[in-house]
Amino acid sequence: PVDAATTAQQLEVLNGLWNAVNDHYVYGDFRGRDWAAIGATYQAMIEAGLSDEAFYRLMGAMINELGDEHSYFQSPTEVAREAEVLARGNDFVGIGALFSPIPPGDTATILSVFPNSPAAEAGLLPHDVLLAVDGGPIRDEAGISRTRGPEGSIVTLTIQRSGTVPHEITISRRRVTGSLPIDFCLILDTRIGYIFLPTFFDESIADQTRAALIAMTADGPLDGLILDNRMNGGGLGSVASAILGLFTSGVQGYFVSRESSDPLDIVGEDIGGSQTVPLIVLVDRDTVSYGEVVSGVLRLAGRAEIIGGPTLGNVEQLRRYDLEDGSRVWLASATFEPIGQAAGIWEDTGIVPDILIPTRWDLFTEAT
């Protein structure tokens, strides 16, 4: 049985969440949902008695009722874990590579390799494909990568690089720490640079991008620069603004909520000619949120041409609402209004490239 004090606290959290959505959700019609009826339904389930674990799952389901595929709920444990990652960076035991599943999910491709990690020492590279772990599935029943495991344990990976036959690599797991690395290089025999931006969630991304620009322009200005946003799922507005500031400046649009219209006002800085270098931005269906906003803004500012596949259109600005028990809801509270266009237009259309070409991550590398 659940005691009355637990139920009372759960109802306080429910009311906080319900009020945040009711007062601040960007879509005043709640996207056709009856928000009052949804609140009453979930209140009845809580009053029937729920464990904390079941309650937090229920709050996540309640936010998902909005159907915007962007807003989400975090339990106090998830809030604390995120704060730790932001404060300390990554800290895990494994091989030191960031993977992205390849549909339907039986295989995965490497997005980034941590410097000085077991993966780096084994010669693994972005775009390599993980086919199997110890001859079996790449994830366990809970969906956790089987490349994780006890420090010092041995794991055998089946890897395939584009254009080659699969081969096995045996690696000893160890602790991996630090910020998620970007990937950058000069394309062979050119003065064209390439930078892969995996996320805007990591606050070190802007400084890493500055360092990449300094390194690539040490011997002179670039003739062009490719910004790869294909796998960029968005993140922090401060990081997105800092990246934009390397290539443009001034008011680039507005975030329009039910209460206000706030300018996206970019402070520019030039590193090795970054404010004028011709840009290509790569996008595709995994370019989301601020990844889409940055890509679209650079084109509207006359700074970039966009190449790749259409994005899905998920550009609401999430704002944080902290609840009574330390849980949190990230709520779509504003939509983006590009200069000279209607608010929310990219939510409807996504970012449509100037040149449509297939850009599947695991089939193309910086060299190709």
Side-chain angles (χ1 to χ4, degrees), residues 28 58 118 131 198 301:
L58 193 72
L131 302 176

Side-chain angles (χ1 to χ4, degrees), residues 60-332:
M62 184 174 174
I63 283 295
N64 289 342
E65 295 264 13
L66 295 170
D68 61 44
E69 299 182 347
H70 207 178
S71 303
Y72 64 98
F73 174 84
Q74 292 177 304
S75 70
T77 299
E78 291 167 330
V79 171
R81 187 181 303 124
E82 179 180 88
E84 183 178 1
V85 170
L86 285 173
R88 296 174 51 192
N90 293 279
D91 187 351
F92 63 92
V93 175
I95 68 167
L98 175 67
F99 292 94
S100 178
I102 301 172
D106 299 331
T107 60
T109 184
I110 295 178
L111 299 183
S112 294
V113 176
F114 286 80
N116 306 313
S117 67
E121 292 167 2
L124 295 180
L125 297 172
H127 309 280
D128 286 348
V129 175
L130 177 64
L131 302 176
V133 176
D134 289 331
I138 64 173
R139 295 182 181 274
D140 63 19
E141 293 180 354
I144 298 172
S145 174
R146 294 179 65 231
T147 60
R148 302 285 181 98
E151 192 163 6
S153 59
I154 302 298
V155 61
T156 299
L157 312 178
T158 305
I159 298 290
Q160 184 170 24
R161 187 162 293 167
S162 180
T164 68
V165 298
H167 62 282
E168 291 188 345
I169 295 177
T170 299
I171 295 178
S172 177
R173 298 181 178 98
R174 66 173 184 258
R175 184 164 297 280
V176 178
T177 60
S179 299
L180 181 65
I182 69 170
D183 183 27
F184 72 93
C185 66
L186 284 172
I187 296 176
L188 189 64
D189 297 326
T190 75
R191 293 296 302 163
I192 297 174
Y194 167 91
I195 300 177
F196 168 55
L197 299 172
T199 182
F200 292 143
F201 189 76
D202 188 321
E203 292 182 319
S204 75
I205 293 293
D207 281 341
Q208 289 189 67
T209 304
R210 293 183 181 97
L213 289 169
I214 290 170
M216 290 190 293
T217 58
D219 294 328
L222 297 174
D223 294 331
L225 178 64
I226 299 167
L227 296 178
D228 192 342
N229 272 335
R230 283 177 293 170
M231 308 301 287
N232 191 333
L236 303 175
S238 57
V239 177
S241 294
I243 294 298
L244 279 172
L246 295 169
F247 306 107
T248 191
S249 63
V251 174
Q252 301 297 329
Y254 300 86
F255 286 103
V256 181
S257 68
R258 284 157 63 180
E259 300 89 16
S260 64
S261 178
D262 302 316
L264 176 62
D265 195 356
I266 301 303
V267 177
E269 61 175 309
D270 187 89
I271 296 179
S274 63
Q275 289 289 329
T276 55
V277 64
L279 297 175
I280 293 291
V281 178
L282 302 180
V283 302
D284 216 317
R285 59 184 295 113
D286 291 312
T287 310
V288 181
S289 188
Y290 273 114
E292 294 177 274
V293 171
V294 166
S295 303
V297 162
L298 288 174
R299 177 168 61 185
L300 270 185
R303 291 291 292 113
E305 189 171 21
I306 297 180
I307 294 176
T311 70
L312 298 182
N314 200 342
V315 298
E316 300 111 340
Q317 185 185 58
L318 298 185
R319 295 180 182 173
R320 187 182 93 184
Y321 298 91
D322 293 330
L323 304 175
E324 183 76 18
D325 63 340
S327 60
R328 178 177 292 163
V329 59
W330 288 94
L331 188 64

